[in-house]
Amino acid sequence: MVALGRAYVGFATERPALLELMFTAKHEVEPDAEIRVLGHRSLEIAAEVIAEAQRSGAVRSGDAVRLAQVAFSTVHGLAVLAVGDLLDDTPVGEATDLALEILLTGLRGTS
């Protein structure tokens, strides 16, 4: 999960125009079907990672897709803030580490 989160934020901050294109094209009146499929596939990958972590006991029980949606929204939101230069003096890596630490704490749930 940490590697996936860091990779996403890294991708977004290194290629902000591509990130914007991906999400702008997805919301067109007649969105490209391939873009929608790829967007859903990325969420499926995150859900698969969460489901595997659930099987090992590292992540709390629950709908893996819904947990993946929350995880993705956390990482995507951070990426959008970084690309929009809204983190002020906070280094992106530091913000990413903190966001992932908080996210993973929540995914672990209570023991």
Side-chain angles (χ1 to χ4, degrees):
M1 289 295 298
V2 171
L4 211 69
R6 285 186 181 145
Y8 187 84
V9 173
F11 160 79
T13 57
E14 292 168 15
R15 297 171 184 86
L18 186 54
L19 180 74
E20 182 180 351
L21 176 65
M22 288 166 43
F23 285 92
T24 300
K26 185 176 176 183
H27 298 292
E28 291 179 358
V29 174
E30 292 187 36
D32 183 84
E34 184 178 6
I35 289 175
R36 291 196 57 79
V37 168
L38 291 172
H40 285 285
R41 181 62 190 135
S42 63
L43 188 59
E44 289 169 6
I45 291 168
E48 290 166 8
V49 170
I50 287 174
E52 180 63 31
Q54 286 174 319
R55 286 189 286 277
S56 73
V59 169
R60 71 209 238 128
S61 62
D63 185 319
V65 171
R66 289 190 182 186
L67 292 173
Q69 290 167 339
V70 170
F72 180 77
S73 67
T74 299
V75 175
H76 180 70
L78 175 63
V80 169
L81 289 174
V83 167
D85 200 26
L86 296 171
L87 293 178
D88 297 325
D89 294 330
T90 305
V92 175
E94 185 179 315
T96 302
D97 288 346
L98 181 58
L100 291 170
E101 178 185 329
I102 292 169
L103 174 63
L104 293 176
T105 298
L107 284 173
R108 284 186 201 101
T110 57
S111 299

